Amino acid sequence: MTSYIGRFAPSPTGPLHLGSLVAAMASYLDAKVHEGRWLVRIEDVDRDRNVPGADEHILASLRRCGMAWDGEVTWQTRRGDLYEAALLQLAPHVYPCGCSRREIADSQTRLQTRLALPPNATLVYPGTCRAGLAPGKAPRALRLRTPLPTCVIGFEDRWHGHVEQDIATEVGDYVIRRADGFWAYQLAVVVDDAAQGITDIVRGADLLDSTPRQLYLQELLGAPHPRYLHVPVVVNADGEKLSKQTGAAAFDNGAPPAQLLAGSLLPAARFLGMEIQAGTIPAFWRAAVPAWENLLRDRGGL
């Protein structure tokens, strides 16, 4: 399959940790199994969270692991014109929202109390500004209007099977441009995937419930729907997803290749369900490609 185009799209909020390596490995192996291209995109659209130099550290870590990407690396902060063009196309479905985070949280708390919902229930944006800004309200974020009363969007995930979500009742109108002026992840990722011709998205299962929102945006923009595969996420001892916020350590500290293999690559493969026997990094990849193919074939997700 030469038409396959996959990607790994890390955020430069710090060095890659083991959970990031798992996602990178799965997307890289999937591209290799399908004889496709593997792109790298730095998702730095959230400028407030970017760490200087983290993008170069990420790229260096991928090189040290033996994961060579195809083509040029792209950065979201250099693609603003594409997002502006998409916003113009979406204009009939977009409205300004003047709600602060505190106001949204307060309205959700009141609704939660009235409906006797559990404390951890996921609540949707209440639609406060859907019919227009209240007098004296200044526009802050831009939200995408979702169809009412329901808008069920489903897809077949190559790992999890059929997934569907009613974005009208489970998400509500969602932000595509934030109050701080930064582009929201949901818009940026859809525009980038379409512009780069991405056919297959392999990423962590923490983004599984974002996919219906992205599918809806793809429909509005006339963009093709990629195939999706969401791998399990690595968690810490408290059951929290590994991240910089939860204190996840970098998997690459400059150790020799043999230590990088034993301490990072082999455990990442094992987490994905592959037992690899290899003494060098090149030998690891030679064994990992057929192992990934066999794993997907067994799961019915090839």
Side-chain angles (χ1 to χ4, degrees):
M1 287 182 59
T2 57
S3 60
Y4 180 112
I5 304 178
R7 48 70 160 179
F8 175 56
S11 298
T13 56
L16 298 180
H17 49 72
L18 183 61
S20 311
L21 178 59
V22 165
M25 179 179 292
S27 65
Y28 179 77
L29 288 173
D30 206 57
K32 295 303 178 184
V33 163
H34 291 90
E35 300 179 6
R37 302 181 68 222
W38 187 65
L39 310 182
V40 171
R41 180 172 72 229
I42 303 297
E43 295 197 334
D44 58 346
V45 69
D46 190 348
R47 296 172 187 256
D48 285 346
R49 297 179 61 232
N50 296 338
V51 174
D55 51 354
E56 294 302 330
H57 191 283
I58 288 169
L59 297 177
S61 294
L62 293 176
R63 290 190 197 97
R64 279 177 31 84
C65 286
M67 287 185 273
W69 53 87
D70 298 296
E72 296 293 327
V73 176
T74 58
W75 279 259
Q76 284 185 327
T77 48
R78 304 174 189 177
R79 301 166 70 82
D81 290 347
L82 292 176
Y83 310 144
E84 290 284 0
L87 181 59
L88 287 175
Q89 191 174 344
L90 293 169
H93 309 279
V94 173
Y95 66 89
C97 175
C99 299
S100 67
R101 290 185 179 182
R102 178 181 293 276
E103 289 170 332
I104 295 171
D106 287 345
S107 66
Q108 289 182 340
T109 299
R110 289 194 297 273
L111 180 63
Q112 193 173 40
T113 301
R114 180 165 60 85
L115 298 180
L117 295 174
N120 61 347
T122 299
L123 296 173
V124 303
Y125 174 68
T128 308
C129 300
R130 198 173 218 265
L133 293 170
K137 270 289 190 197
R140 294 166 56 87
L142 293 178
R143 290 186 181 271
L144 186 73
R145 194 184 306 271
T146 56
L148 294 176
T150 63
C151 182
V152 177
I153 294 181
F155 66 100
E156 295 300 320
D157 187 82
R158 294 168 54 207
W159 192 280
H160 296 271
H162 185 73
V163 178
E164 66 178 35
Q165 182 184 66
D166 185 341
I167 61 172
T169 60
E170 297 180 56
V171 178
D173 301 341
Y174 51 99
V175 171
I176 59 171
R177 191 163 192 171
R178 295 169 17 180
D180 54 17
F182 297 158
W183 296 102
Y185 165 77
Q186 306 295 353
L187 178 69
V189 71
V190 166
V191 171
D192 288 334
D193 286 337
Q196 294 184 289
I198 302 300
T199 64
D200 287 77
I201 295 173
V202 178
R203 60 189 181 186
D206 55 313
L207 293 170
L208 189 63
D209 69 349
S210 289
T211 306
R213 278 171 275 176
Q214 293 164 23
L215 289 168
Y216 181 57
L217 272 168
Q218 289 161 11
E219 291 179 9
L220 294 179
L221 292 170
H225 296 319
R227 295 197 307 168
Y228 290 90
L229 190 158
H230 291 82
V231 296
V233 297
V234 182
V235 298
N236 62 18
D238 296 323
E240 301 169 316
K241 173 186 174 260
L242 287 189
S243 68
K244 185 179 178 183
Q245 287 71 32
T246 58
F251 78 82
D252 179 15
N253 58 8
Q259 188 173 333
L260 186 63
L261 172 65
S264 299
L265 289 171
L266 290 174
R270 194 173 303 117
F271 179 83
L272 287 168
M274 300 179 293
E275 287 294 338
I276 308 294
Q277 302 296 323
T280 66
I281 290 178
F284 169 83
W285 292 114
R286 287 195 296 270
V289 171
W292 179 255
E293 183 173 11
N294 291 334
L295 175 65
L296 290 185
R297 184 177 289 111
D298 291 343
R299 297 185 62 89
L302 190 56

